[in-house]
Amino acid sequence: MTNLISNADARRIFLAKQGLSAPPNRVLTKSGLLQLIHDLGFVQIDSIQWVERAHHQILFSRNQTYRREHLTTLLEKDGALFEHWTHDASILPSSFFRYWKHKFRREEEVLVDRWRKWRGEGFEDAFDETYERVSRDGAIMAREIKADGHVSGGWWNWHPNKTALEYFWRTGKFAISGRSNFQKVYDLVERVIPAEFHEPEVSREEFVDWACRSALTRLGFATHGEIAAFWALVSPDEAKGWVTAHRDELTEILIEPALGGKPRPSWAFSDFLDTLDDYPAAPPRIRVLSPFDPMIRDRNRTERLFGFFYRIEIFVPEPKREYGYYVFPLLEGDRLIGRIDMKADRRKGSLDVRRLWLEPGVKPSAGRLEKLAAELDRVARFAGVERVEMLDGWRG
């Protein structure tokens, strides 16, 4: 008989796995920050600073004592973290670097052909020149190597040397040694990632085992498709094969969805049922999540577990947006209760709240609005502005 896991238990376990059940005011040291990122697996990076950059907000939402300088030190001085791709650009523990070598090899196989279709023949001509320049002169930004007369643009208009820098980064020859005004600084990987994290090489079988095992650990329970999607390192078929090969270590469970309907068969490690009571409930406070928070990255899983439909509307034409350009989900305890449209206006020194939407059945009680106000004050201080301003029409 397959065990049914209640929706409440599923949410509680997943939030704990996502670092959202720990006391948010417990002092977070530099080593504690490294452990938090290790436990999450990755922290997505995004250039938009509507309130604060995504990686900072993701970490702050879990612990309000988070210090940006600790992250910078771990990335740029200690080499304990590195930047690369999962499903998107992310910060990762350097202890994972040796597994990423399999991703580097896959990128080598596909990037040149893909980019040749995009850039046209001959785009690789700058590769040798770029590699020699970085090897000889050290860390460099794309703007320092741009050909005269090239007009900068988005990724679709990279100059040849920028394309080379990105190629060598994606394939593990270069690494990001830092950022200046959020622009990448590239250097040889051996000058950025400490040697202790390069070895030993792992086989493909070991790599797939690590990718699936570490994903399931961080998810708590998952389908083979969710296991594959967590890192975006292995295919669903590889994850399915891993489940089959390790069936003796796993148990099949059913996860009750938030809004009714058929429970979803999922996999968990065999001690899952014995540890159900080990996960604490999430604190009852309200927290603003980044649109790129790993808890909601898998939008379909978010909808099943929390009954909360969320899509970021950055690329949706303004007349077709349901909510807004950059709208933040609100977590209260173990429920996603709504979303908020707000922006830090650093010129005025204010966090401007434009609109609040609460989910059906979530009442704007005085107590709930007080909790929201307390969270907005915390976010404002973190973003470096002096006050919160509720703009006309914020309640809709």
Side-chain angles (χ1 to χ4, degrees), residues 103-362:
K103 182 176 179 64
F104 301 153
R105 285 194 281 271
R106 187 179 68 188
E107 294 284 86
E108 285 180 341
E109 294 171 0
V110 301
L111 275 186
V112 169
D113 287 342
R114 184 191 304 161
W115 286 4
R116 188 176 289 120
K117 293 176 184 177
W118 156 46
R119 294 298 307 269
E121 294 290 339
F123 82 94
E124 313 101 301
D125 292 347
F127 278 28
D128 289 345
E129 170 200 346
T130 302
Y131 191 86
E132 290 173 10
R133 169 97 179 251
V134 174
S135 298
R136 181 183 68 245
D137 299 338
I140 200 167
M141 290 189 289
R143 69 188 184 201
E144 298 173 307
I145 201 171
K146 181 172 68 174
D148 292 341
H150 182 88
V151 179
S152 296
W155 62 265
W156 57 90
N157 197 33
W158 286 346
H159 58 79
N161 299 100
K162 166 67 173 176
T163 304
L165 290 170
E166 284 289 305
Y167 173 79
F168 289 128
W169 173 52
R170 298 282 188 95
T171 57
K173 307 297 190 303
F174 290 171
I176 307 304
S177 64
R179 285 181 179 261
S180 177
N181 294 324
F182 209 67
Q183 294 187 49
K184 298 187 191 86
V185 181
Y186 303 83
D187 203 350
L188 293 179
V189 71
E190 54 264 33
R191 294 200 288 241
V192 178
I193 309 294
E196 64 192 275
F197 298 122
H198 289 252
E199 302 293 341
E201 285 271 358
V202 298
S203 67
R204 181 71 189 180
E205 182 180 358
E206 291 172 306
F207 164 71
V208 171
D209 180 62
W210 175 85
C212 295
R213 190 176 299 275
S214 60
L216 185 55
T217 297
R218 287 160 178 81
L219 290 167
F221 50 85
T223 65
H224 66 264
E226 290 169 340
I227 291 171
F230 183 84
W231 300 112
L233 290 175
V234 299
S235 70
D237 283 343
E238 285 178 307
K240 188 175 183 179
W242 178 83
V243 167
T244 300
H246 294 84
R247 184 66 182 83
D248 59 334
E249 298 179 57
L250 305 174
T251 185
E252 188 171 17
I253 56 177
L254 294 172
I255 303 296
E256 180 185 33
L259 300 178
K262 189 176 180 180
R264 187 173 183 84
S266 296
W267 296 102
F269 288 113
S270 55
D271 64 349
F272 180 82
L273 297 173
D274 296 329
T275 60
L276 281 179
D277 295 332
D278 294 351
Y279 301 98
R285 68 161 57 186
I286 289 178
R287 281 181 275 189
V288 175
L289 300 183
S290 165
F292 300 104
D293 195 288
M295 185 202 124
I296 60 170
R297 189 198 70 76
D298 186 332
R299 307 302 197 205
N300 293 329
R301 183 179 170 103
T302 300
E303 193 169 358
R304 285 194 305 273
L305 284 181
F306 296 92
F308 185 79
F309 178 84
Y310 181 77
R311 299 292 184 272
I312 193 165
E313 297 182 296
I314 291 172
F315 302 111
V316 177
E318 187 171 1
K320 295 184 178 180
R321 288 177 190 149
E322 184 177 0
Y323 297 105
Y325 174 79
Y326 201 86
V327 172
F328 301 85
L330 296 174
L331 177 70
E332 181 182 29
D334 69 348
R335 300 173 64 200
L336 286 163
I337 62 164
R339 59 205 88 203
I340 192 167
D341 183 0
M342 61 184 185
K343 185 177 183 182
D345 188 326
R346 290 175 172 81
R347 181 181 57 83
K348 292 193 315 177
S350 62
L351 179 65
D352 294 343
V353 176
R354 302 171 176 182
R355 185 76 186 273
L356 169 69
W357 298 266
L358 295 176
E359 289 290 278
V362 177

Side-chain angles (χ1 to χ4, degrees), residues 5-19:
I5 307 302
S6 73
N7 182 253
D9 280 343
R11 292 199 312 269
R12 177 172 53 83
I13 292 163
F14 184 52
L15 287 170
K17 292 285 188 180
Q18 282 292 304

